[in-house]
PDB file of all heavy atoms in Angstrom:
ATOM      1  N   VAL Q1050      81.646  44.120  35.755  1.00 87.00           N
ATOM      2  CA  VAL Q1050      82.825  43.342  35.360  1.00 87.00           C
ATOM      3  C   VAL Q1050      82.400  42.005  34.777  1.00 87.00           C
ATOM      4  O   VAL Q1050      82.911  41.577  33.740  1.00 87.00           O
ATOM      5  CB  VAL Q1050      83.775  43.129  36.564  1.00 87.00           C
ATOM      6  CG1 VAL Q1050      84.879  42.154  36.223  1.00 87.00           C
ATOM      7  CG2 VAL Q1050      84.367  44.435  37.006  1.00 87.00           C
ATOM      8  N   ARG Q1051      81.452  41.359  35.426  1.00 89.00           N
ATOM      9  CA  ARG Q1051      80.973  40.071  34.916  1.00 89.00           C
ATOM     10  C   ARG Q1051      80.325  40.224  33.546  1.00 89.00           C
ATOM     11  O   ARG Q1051      80.501  39.383  32.671  1.00 89.00           O
ATOM     12  CB  ARG Q1051      79.978  39.457  35.890  1.00 89.00           C
ATOM     13  CG  ARG Q1051      80.626  38.894  37.121  1.00 89.00           C
ATOM     14  CD  ARG Q1051      79.601  38.279  38.035  1.00 89.00           C
ATOM     15  NE  ARG Q1051      80.236  37.701  39.200  1.00 89.00           N
ATOM     16  CZ  ARG Q1051      79.579  37.276  40.250  1.00 89.00           C
ATOM     17  NH1 ARG Q1051      78.265  37.360  40.295  1.00 89.00           N
ATOM     18  NH2 ARG Q1051      80.222  36.763  41.272  1.00 89.00           N
ATOM     19  N   GLY Q1052      79.579  41.310  33.349  1.00 89.00           N
ATOM     20  CA  GLY Q1052      78.965  41.550  32.051  1.00 89.00           C
ATOM     21  C   GLY Q1052      79.997  41.781  30.962  1.00 89.00           C
ATOM     22  O   GLY Q1052      79.879  41.273  29.842  1.00 89.00           O
ATOM     23  N   GLU Q1056      80.746  39.381  27.665  1.00 87.00           N
ATOM     24  CA  GLU Q1056      80.790  39.850  26.283  1.00 87.00           C
ATOM     25  C   GLU Q1056      82.107  39.468  25.616  1.00 87.00           C
ATOM     26  O   GLU Q1056      82.134  39.154  24.432  1.00 87.00           O
ATOM     27  CB  GLU Q1056      80.573  41.360  26.218  1.00 87.00           C
ATOM     28  CG  GLU Q1056      79.175  41.788  26.588  1.00 87.00           C
ATOM     29  CD  GLU Q1056      78.100  41.186  25.718  1.00 87.00           C
ATOM     30  OE1 GLU Q1056      78.320  41.048  24.497  1.00 87.00           O
ATOM     31  OE2 GLU Q1056      77.039  40.836  26.247  1.00 87.00           O
ATOM     32  N   LEU Q1057      83.197  39.474  26.361  1.00 85.00           N
ATOM     33  CA  LEU Q1057      84.475  39.028  25.796  1.00 85.00           C
ATOM     34  C   LEU Q1057      84.408  37.555  25.404  1.00 85.00           C
ATOM     35  O   LEU Q1057      84.910  37.159  24.358  1.00 85.00           O
ATOM     36  CB  LEU Q1057      85.612  39.236  26.797  1.00 85.00           C
ATOM     37  CG  LEU Q1057      86.183  40.636  26.913  1.00 85.00           C
ATOM     38  CD1 LEU Q1057      87.283  40.661  27.957  1.00 85.00           C
ATOM     39  CD2 LEU Q1057      86.695  41.135  25.587  1.00 85.00           C
ATOM     40  N   SER Q1066      89.147  29.611  17.920  1.00 50.00           N
ATOM     41  CA  SER Q1066      88.463  30.644  17.129  1.00 50.00           C
ATOM     42  C   SER Q1066      88.890  32.016  17.615  1.00 50.00           C
ATOM     43  O   SER Q1066      89.501  32.171  18.652  1.00 50.00           O
ATOM     44  CB  SER Q1066      86.953  30.493  17.273  1.00 50.00           C
ATOM     45  OG  SER Q1066      86.580  30.710  18.617  1.00 50.00           O
ATOM     46  N   GLN Q1070      94.568  32.616  18.327  1.00 52.00           N
ATOM     47  CA  GLN Q1070      94.476  31.173  18.133  1.00 52.00           C
ATOM     48  C   GLN Q1070      95.220  30.434  19.250  1.00 52.00           C
ATOM     49  O   GLN Q1070      96.326  30.790  19.620  1.00 52.00           O
ATOM     50  CB  GLN Q1070      95.090  30.791  16.781  1.00 52.00           C
ATOM     51  CG  GLN Q1070      94.362  31.388  15.600  1.00 52.00           C
ATOM     52  CD  GLN Q1070      93.031  30.716  15.348  1.00 52.00           C
ATOM     53  OE1 GLN Q1070      92.870  29.539  15.640  1.00 52.00           O
ATOM     54  NE2 GLN Q1070      92.085  31.459  14.819  1.00 52.00           N
ATOM     55  N   HIS Q1072      94.577  30.191  22.466  1.00 62.00           N
ATOM     56  CA  HIS Q1072      94.555  30.754  23.821  1.00 62.00           C
ATOM     57  C   HIS Q1072      93.105  30.984  24.235  1.00 62.00           C
ATOM     58  O   HIS Q1072      92.250  31.222  23.403  1.00 62.00           O
ATOM     59  CB  HIS Q1072      95.301  32.090  23.875  1.00 62.00           C
ATOM     60  CG  HIS Q1072      96.742  31.970  23.497  1.00 62.00           C
ATOM     61  ND1 HIS Q1072      97.685  31.414  24.319  1.00 62.00           N
ATOM     62  CD2 HIS Q1072      97.399  32.336  22.376  1.00 62.00           C
ATOM     63  CE1 HIS Q1072      98.866  31.451  23.718  1.00 62.00           C
ATOM     64  NE2 HIS Q1072      98.713  32.006  22.525  1.00 62.00           N
ATOM     65  N   SER Q1073      92.862  30.957  25.542  1.00 77.00           N
ATOM     66  CA  SER Q1073      91.521  31.261  26.007  1.00 77.00           C
ATOM     67  C   SER Q1073      91.369  32.774  26.116  1.00 77.00           C
ATOM     68  O   SER Q1073      92.338  33.521  26.029  1.00 77.00           O
ATOM     69  CB  SER Q1073      91.267  30.612  27.368  1.00 77.00           C
ATOM     70  OG  SER Q1073      91.914  31.330  28.382  1.00 77.00           O
ATOM     71  N   THR Q1077      93.901  37.139  26.951  1.00 85.00           N
ATOM     72  CA  THR Q1077      93.928  38.279  26.037  1.00 85.00           C
ATOM     73  C   THR Q1077      94.267  39.552  26.800  1.00 85.00           C
ATOM     74  O   THR Q1077      94.114  39.642  28.019  1.00 85.00           O
ATOM     75  CB  THR Q1077      92.562  38.460  25.346  1.00 85.00           C
ATOM     76  OG1 THR Q1077      91.567  38.706  26.337  1.00 85.00           O
ATOM     77  CG2 THR Q1077      92.205  37.241  24.515  1.00 85.00           C
ATOM     78  N   TYR Q1080      91.107  41.201  28.562  1.00 86.00           N
ATOM     79  CA  TYR Q1080      90.722  40.600  29.842  1.00 86.00           C
ATOM     80  C   TYR Q1080      91.606  41.121  30.974  1.00 86.00           C
ATOM     81  O   TYR Q1080      91.107  41.565  32.007  1.00 86.00           O
ATOM     82  CB  TYR Q1080      90.828  39.073  29.741  1.00 86.00           C
ATOM     83  CG  TYR Q1080      90.497  38.339  31.012  1.00 86.00           C
ATOM     84  CD1 TYR Q1080      89.184  38.029  31.321  1.00 86.00           C
ATOM     85  CD2 TYR Q1080      91.493  37.941  31.905  1.00 86.00           C
ATOM     86  CE1 TYR Q1080      88.863  37.353  32.478  1.00 86.00           C
ATOM     87  CE2 TYR Q1080      91.179  37.265  33.059  1.00 86.00           C
ATOM     88  CZ  TYR Q1080      89.868  36.970  33.350  1.00 86.00           C
ATOM     89  OH  TYR Q1080      89.551  36.304  34.504  1.00 86.00           O
ATOM     90  N   GLN Q1085      92.593  44.621  35.628  1.00 88.00           N
ATOM     91  CA  GLN Q1085      93.586  45.524  36.207  1.00 88.00           C
ATOM     92  C   GLN Q1085      92.965  46.874  36.549  1.00 88.00           C
ATOM     93  O   GLN Q1085      93.196  47.409  37.637  1.00 88.00           O
ATOM     94  CB  GLN Q1085      94.735  45.706  35.225  1.00 88.00           C
ATOM     95  CG  GLN Q1085      95.789  46.674  35.682  1.00 88.00           C
ATOM     96  CD  GLN Q1085      96.817  46.951  34.582  1.00 88.00           C
ATOM     97  OE1 GLN Q1085      96.599  46.622  33.429  1.00 88.00           O
ATOM     98  NE2 GLN Q1085      97.911  47.552  34.975  1.00 88.00           N
ATOM     99  N   GLN Q1086      92.149  47.423  35.662  1.00 84.00           N
ATOM    100  CA  GLN Q1086      91.547  48.728  35.912  1.00 84.00           C
ATOM    101  C   GLN Q1086      90.525  48.674  37.042  1.00 84.00           C
ATOM    102  O   GLN Q1086      90.460  49.597  37.863  1.00 84.00           O
ATOM    103  CB  GLN Q1086      90.890  49.256  34.634  1.00 84.00           C
ATOM    104  CG  GLN Q1086      91.874  49.671  33.580  1.00 84.00           C
ATOM    105  CD  GLN Q1086      92.820  50.757  34.085  1.00 84.00           C
ATOM    106  OE1 GLN Q1086      92.399  51.757  34.637  1.00 84.00           O
ATOM    107  NE2 GLN Q1086      94.111  50.521  33.907  1.00 84.00           N
ATOM    108  N   SER Q1094      84.392  51.841  51.463  1.00 54.00           N
ATOM    109  CA  SER Q1094      83.055  52.382  51.712  1.00 54.00           C
ATOM    110  C   SER Q1094      83.096  53.837  52.183  1.00 54.00           C
ATOM    111  O   SER Q1094      82.144  54.574  51.988  1.00 54.00           O
ATOM    112  CB  SER Q1094      82.338  51.522  52.753  1.00 54.00           C
ATOM    113  OG  SER Q1094      83.069  51.537  53.967  1.00 54.00           O
ATOM    114  N   GLU Q1103      84.020  57.655  36.945  1.00 81.00           N
ATOM    115  CA  GLU Q1103      84.350  57.763  35.528  1.00 81.00           C
ATOM    116  C   GLU Q1103      84.609  56.380  34.926  1.00 81.00           C
ATOM    117  O   GLU Q1103      84.160  56.085  33.818  1.00 81.00           O
ATOM    118  CB  GLU Q1103      85.568  58.657  35.327  1.00 81.00           C
ATOM    119  CG  GLU Q1103      85.294  60.117  35.599  1.00 81.00           C
ATOM    120  CD  GLU Q1103      86.531  60.974  35.473  1.00 81.00           C
ATOM    121  OE1 GLU Q1103      87.581  60.464  35.024  1.00 81.00           O
ATOM    122  OE2 GLU Q1103      86.447  62.155  35.839  1.00 81.00           O
ATOM    123  N   LEU Q1104      85.333  55.553  35.663  1.00 81.00           N
ATOM    124  CA  LEU Q1104      85.602  54.190  35.193  1.00 81.00           C
ATOM    125  C   LEU Q1104      84.304  53.416  35.052  1.00 81.00           C
ATOM    126  O   LEU Q1104      84.101  52.711  34.066  1.00 81.00           O
ATOM    127  CB  LEU Q1104      86.532  53.471  36.161  1.00 81.00           C
ATOM    128  CG  LEU Q1104      86.768  51.998  35.845  1.00 81.00           C
ATOM    129  CD1 LEU Q1104      87.663  51.879  34.614  1.00 81.00           C
ATOM    130  CD2 LEU Q1104      87.382  51.291  37.021  1.00 81.00           C
ATOM    131  N   HIS Q1106      81.312  54.595  34.469  1.00 88.00           N
ATOM    132  CA  HIS Q1106      80.579  55.101  33.315  1.00 88.00           C
ATOM    133  C   HIS Q1106      81.199  54.601  32.007  1.00 88.00           C
ATOM    134  O   HIS Q1106      80.480  54.171  31.092  1.00 88.00           O
ATOM    135  CB  HIS Q1106      80.557  56.630  33.331  1.00 88.00           C
ATOM    136  CG  HIS Q1106      79.894  57.232  32.136  1.00 88.00           C
ATOM    137  ND1 HIS Q1106      78.546  57.140  31.909  1.00 88.00           N
ATOM    138  CD2 HIS Q1106      80.403  57.917  31.088  1.00 88.00           C
ATOM    139  CE1 HIS Q1106      78.244  57.743  30.781  1.00 88.00           C
ATOM    140  NE2 HIS Q1106      79.357  58.224  30.261  1.00 88.00           N
ATOM    141  N   GLN Q1107      82.517  54.648  31.905  1.00 87.00           N
ATOM    142  CA  GLN Q1107      83.180  54.169  30.692  1.00 87.00           C
ATOM    143  C   GLN Q1107      82.953  52.678  30.488  1.00 87.00           C
ATOM    144  O   GLN Q1107      82.723  52.217  29.363  1.00 87.00           O
ATOM    145  CB  GLN Q1107      84.681  54.462  30.756  1.00 87.00           C
ATOM    146  CG  GLN Q1107      85.023  55.906  30.563  1.00 87.00           C
ATOM    147  CD  GLN Q1107      86.517  56.148  30.690  1.00 87.00           C
ATOM    148  OE1 GLN Q1107      87.268  55.258  31.112  1.00 87.00           O
ATOM    149  NE2 GLN Q1107      86.949  57.348  30.331  1.00 87.00           N
ATOM    150  N   SER Q1117      75.657  45.691  21.806  1.00 93.00           N
ATOM    151  CA  SER Q1117      75.038  46.153  20.565  1.00 93.00           C
ATOM    152  C   SER Q1117      75.718  45.544  19.347  1.00 93.00           C
ATOM    153  O   SER Q1117      75.043  45.160  18.376  1.00 93.00           O
ATOM    154  CB  SER Q1117      75.098  47.677  20.483  1.00 93.00           C
ATOM    155  OG  SER Q1117      74.393  48.251  21.547  1.00 93.00           O
ATOM    156  N   ARG Q1119      77.305  42.656  19.247  1.00 91.00           N
ATOM    157  CA  ARG Q1119      76.936  41.240  19.210  1.00 91.00           C
ATOM    158  C   ARG Q1119      75.523  41.060  18.649  1.00 91.00           C
ATOM    159  O   ARG Q1119      75.285  40.204  17.804  1.00 91.00           O
ATOM    160  CB  ARG Q1119      77.029  40.636  20.608  1.00 91.00           C
ATOM    161  CG  ARG Q1119      76.624  39.180  20.680  1.00 91.00           C
ATOM    162  CD  ARG Q1119      76.772  38.605  22.080  1.00 91.00           C
ATOM    163  NE  ARG Q1119      76.269  39.446  23.130  1.00 91.00           N
ATOM    164  CZ  ARG Q1119      74.993  39.479  23.526  1.00 91.00           C
ATOM    165  NH1 ARG Q1119      74.084  38.730  22.943  1.00 91.00           N
ATOM    166  NH2 ARG Q1119      74.618  40.267  24.513  1.00 91.00           N
ATOM    167  N   LEU Q1122      75.494  41.779  14.869  1.00 89.00           N
ATOM    168  CA  LEU Q1122      76.030  40.668  14.085  1.00 89.00           C
ATOM    169  C   LEU Q1122      75.037  39.511  13.991  1.00 89.00           C
ATOM    170  O   LEU Q1122      74.910  38.875  12.941  1.00 89.00           O
ATOM    171  CB  LEU Q1122      77.355  40.187  14.677  1.00 89.00           C
ATOM    172  CG  LEU Q1122      78.531  41.157  14.537  1.00 89.00           C
ATOM    173  CD1 LEU Q1122      79.750  40.621  15.271  1.00 89.00           C
ATOM    174  CD2 LEU Q1122      78.849  41.393  13.075  1.00 89.00           C
ATOM    175  N   GLN Q1126      73.482  38.318  10.467  1.00 84.00           N
ATOM    176  CA  GLN Q1126      73.595  36.926  10.029  1.00 84.00           C
ATOM    177  C   GLN Q1126      72.214  36.327   9.765  1.00 84.00           C
ATOM    178  O   GLN Q1126      72.033  35.565   8.827  1.00 84.00           O
ATOM    179  CB  GLN Q1126      74.333  36.103  11.077  1.00 84.00           C
ATOM    180  CG  GLN Q1126      74.615  34.693  10.652  1.00 84.00           C
ATOM    181  CD  GLN Q1126      75.422  33.947  11.691  1.00 84.00           C
ATOM    182  OE1 GLN Q1126      75.562  34.391  12.825  1.00 84.00           O
ATOM    183  NE2 GLN Q1126      75.960  32.818  11.314  1.00 84.00           N
ATOM    184  N   LYS Q1131      71.800  34.765   3.750  1.00 70.00           N
ATOM    185  CA  LYS Q1131      71.305  33.656   2.945  1.00 70.00           C
ATOM    186  C   LYS Q1131      71.161  33.981   1.468  1.00 70.00           C
ATOM    187  O   LYS Q1131      70.697  33.164   0.704  1.00 70.00           O
ATOM    188  CB  LYS Q1131      69.966  33.180   3.506  1.00 70.00           C
ATOM    189  CG  LYS Q1131      70.115  32.617   4.903  1.00 70.00           C
ATOM    190  CD  LYS Q1131      68.829  32.095   5.447  1.00 70.00           C
ATOM    191  CE  LYS Q1131      69.064  31.567   6.856  1.00 70.00           C
ATOM    192  NZ  LYS Q1131      67.862  31.179   7.521  1.00 70.00           N
ATOM    193  N   GLN Q1141      57.402  35.314   5.039  1.00 85.00           N
ATOM    194  CA  GLN Q1141      57.429  34.590   6.315  1.00 85.00           C
ATOM    195  C   GLN Q1141      58.437  35.203   7.275  1.00 85.00           C
ATOM    196  O   GLN Q1141      58.221  35.211   8.482  1.00 85.00           O
ATOM    197  CB  GLN Q1141      57.768  33.122   6.087  1.00 85.00           C
ATOM    198  CG  GLN Q1141      56.611  32.307   5.593  1.00 85.00           C
ATOM    199  CD  GLN Q1141      56.971  30.828   5.501  1.00 85.00           C
ATOM    200  OE1 GLN Q1141      58.135  30.471   5.341  1.00 85.00           O
ATOM    201  NE2 GLN Q1141      55.966  29.978   5.603  1.00 85.00           N
ATOM    202  N   LEU Q1142      59.529  35.718   6.750  1.00 80.00           N
ATOM    203  CA  LEU Q1142      60.572  36.310   7.583  1.00 80.00           C
ATOM    204  C   LEU Q1142      60.053  37.508   8.369  1.00 80.00           C
ATOM    205  O   LEU Q1142      60.406  37.700   9.530  1.00 80.00           O
ATOM    206  CB  LEU Q1142      61.751  36.725   6.692  1.00 80.00           C
ATOM    207  CG  LEU Q1142      63.043  37.093   7.362  1.00 80.00           C
ATOM    208  CD1 LEU Q1142      63.615  35.901   8.111  1.00 80.00           C
ATOM    209  CD2 LEU Q1142      64.041  37.577   6.329  1.00 80.00           C
ATOM    210  N   LYS Q1146      51.749  36.699   5.278  1.00 86.00           N
ATOM    211  CA  LYS Q1146      51.369  35.576   4.430  1.00 86.00           C
ATOM    212  C   LYS Q1146      51.047  36.122   3.047  1.00 86.00           C
ATOM    213  O   LYS Q1146      50.398  37.157   2.912  1.00 86.00           O
ATOM    214  CB  LYS Q1146      50.136  34.860   4.976  1.00 86.00           C
ATOM    215  CG  LYS Q1146      50.371  34.110   6.258  1.00 86.00           C
ATOM    216  CD  LYS Q1146      49.109  33.382   6.667  1.00 86.00           C
ATOM    217  CE  LYS Q1146      49.309  32.655   7.974  1.00 86.00           C
ATOM    218  NZ  LYS Q1146      48.074  31.978   8.408  1.00 86.00           N
ATOM    219  N   TRP Q1156      38.374  27.343 -12.777  1.00 59.00           N
ATOM    220  CA  TRP Q1156      39.549  28.189 -12.978  1.00 59.00           C
ATOM    221  C   TRP Q1156      40.527  27.574 -13.974  1.00 59.00           C
ATOM    222  O   TRP Q1156      41.520  28.186 -14.307  1.00 59.00           O
ATOM    223  CB  TRP Q1156      40.269  28.431 -11.655  1.00 59.00           C
ATOM    224  CG  TRP Q1156      39.503  29.323 -10.743  1.00 59.00           C
ATOM    225  CD1 TRP Q1156      38.670  28.938  -9.745  1.00 59.00           C
ATOM    226  CD2 TRP Q1156      39.465  30.739 -10.779  1.00 59.00           C
ATOM    227  NE1 TRP Q1156      38.119  30.029  -9.140  1.00 59.00           N
ATOM    228  CE2 TRP Q1156      38.612  31.160  -9.761  1.00 59.00           C
ATOM    229  CE3 TRP Q1156      40.080  31.712 -11.576  1.00 59.00           C
ATOM    230  CZ2 TRP Q1156      38.335  32.492  -9.520  1.00 59.00           C
ATOM    231  CZ3 TRP Q1156      39.817  33.044 -11.315  1.00 59.00           C
ATOM    232  CH2 TRP Q1156      38.957  33.409 -10.300  1.00 59.00           C
TER     233      TRP Q1156
END
Side-chain angles (χ1 to χ4, degrees):
V1050 171
R1051 286 181 178 170
E1056 291 301 322
L1057 280 179
S1066 63
Q1070 297 287 330
H1072 299 286
S1073 76
T1077 61
Y1080 178 85
Q1085 177 187 14
Q1086 289 302 310
S1094 61
E1103 289 177 8
L1104 174 72
H1106 177 69
Q1107 287 178 350
S1117 299
R1119 178 178 45 85
L1122 291 175
Q1126 186 177 14
K1131 296 182 181 174
Q1141 282 185 334
L1142 192 63
K1146 291 183 182 178
W1156 289 96

